[in-house]
Amino acid sequence: MLLDGRRWGLRIEYAEQPEPRGIAQALIIAEPFLDGASPVLILGDNLFYGGNLAAALAAANVRVDGGTIFAHRVKNAAEYGVVVIDENGHAKSIEEKPSVPKSPYAVTGLYFYDNRAVDIARTLKPSARGELEITDVNRTYLDRGSLDVQLLGRGAAWLDTGTPEALLQAALFVQTIEERQGLKIACPEEVAFRAGWVDADQLERLAAPLAKTSYGRYLLELIKEHE
């Protein structure tokens, strides 16, 4: 459990969506936390992996005007939101689950916006299913000519774990990578340690209750490598 994140040197706070009124409503609910800052929105059932991912995230994060979405090539594009990209990395069009996709690039569940996103979300009208659609937020930035696209290339993986079959695929992917490389994917203690949010002594205390497990031994090995 993430709890408040204190043990990793973080501060995590929560707000509840009382009813399923769409992804874009998250921007409105998060407004008190943002305090005028630019939001980053990620869907909790999306898994991202790749060596160049950190650089792509950093590039999107420093942008102060407009929005940035992330796209990944898929075989079954008709099942997703599809984006068409020009030669400069700007979005030309977005279609939601088109019967004949204009490109093979699906819009993933990762969005960077400037501080106008909350106001945009407030202007949306609910869709036919009664939700504030994140696609409509993206279309607003698109219409303003300020929606960029970061392509996740061949070395990156994007897995949507929203179905039992997709969740199994993601679990097998993570298992394969971890067993092959001997490295953990999305290990919060390791991330905190390498980022300098916790020191070696703190990491050792985090590992102590898990010392008899492979996870705990992995954390202790990180300390030895650091030394």
Side-chain angles (χ1 to χ4, degrees), residues 107-148:
V107 179
T108 71
L110 178 59
Y111 318 90
F112 284 71
Y113 299 119
D114 62 21
N115 58 10
R116 295 176 295 178
V118 175
D119 291 335
I120 291 172
R122 289 191 185 282
T123 67
L124 299 181
K125 295 181 179 180
S127 65
R129 59 179 183 171
E131 297 188 0
L132 301 181
E133 305 289 352
I134 198 67
T135 298
D136 291 337
V137 175
N138 293 333
R139 284 203 183 102
T140 300
Y141 281 104
L142 174 65
D143 293 343
R144 294 176 178 179
S146 59
L147 184 66
D148 283 358

Side-chain angles (χ1 to χ4, degrees), residues 45-217:
D45 62 357
N46 277 214
L47 186 152
F48 296 88
Y49 179 82
N52 295 324
L53 183 59
L57 296 175
N61 193 48
V62 298
R63 189 177 179 211
V64 295
D65 184 34
T68 301
I69 59 176
F70 287 72
H72 196 275
R73 186 184 180 98
V74 295
K75 182 173 69 174
N76 52 339
E79 298 180 9
Y80 300 94
V82 174
V83 61
V84 177
I85 310 163
D86 68 16
E87 62 277 6
N88 297 314
H90 303 309
K92 293 177 62 177
S93 68
I94 295 178
E95 294 180 284
E96 190 64 28
K97 297 181 180 179
S99 56
V100 182
K102 295 179 181 178
S103 89
Y105 295 108
V107 179
T108 71
L110 178 59
Y111 318 90
F112 284 71
Y113 299 119
D114 62 21
N115 58 10
R116 295 176 295 178
V118 175
D119 291 335
I120 291 172
R122 289 191 185 282
T123 67
L124 299 181
K125 295 181 179 180
S127 65
R129 59 179 183 171
E131 297 188 0
L132 301 181
E133 305 289 352
I134 198 67
T135 298
D136 291 337
V137 175
N138 293 333
R139 284 203 183 102
T140 300
Y141 281 104
L142 174 65
D143 293 343
R144 294 176 178 179
S146 59
L147 184 66
D148 283 358
V149 183
Q150 284 273 3
L151 276 181
L152 299 173
R154 297 182 70 129
W158 167 57
L159 300 172
D160 183 344
T161 65
T163 67
E165 294 81 5
L167 182 60
L168 176 60
Q169 291 174 355
L172 292 174
F173 174 84
V174 171
Q175 180 189 40
T176 300
I177 296 296
E178 290 189 349
E179 290 189 355
R180 180 69 175 176
Q181 297 182 343
L183 299 172
K184 294 293 183 186
I185 293 178
C187 171
E189 293 88 354
E190 180 178 9
V191 172
F193 180 58
R194 295 192 184 281
W197 302 334
V198 300
D199 58 25
D201 290 338
Q202 290 170 302
L203 181 60
E204 187 172 11
R205 287 195 294 272
L206 291 171
L210 308 170
K212 294 183 179 180
T213 69
S214 60
Y215 193 90
R217 291 191 293 271

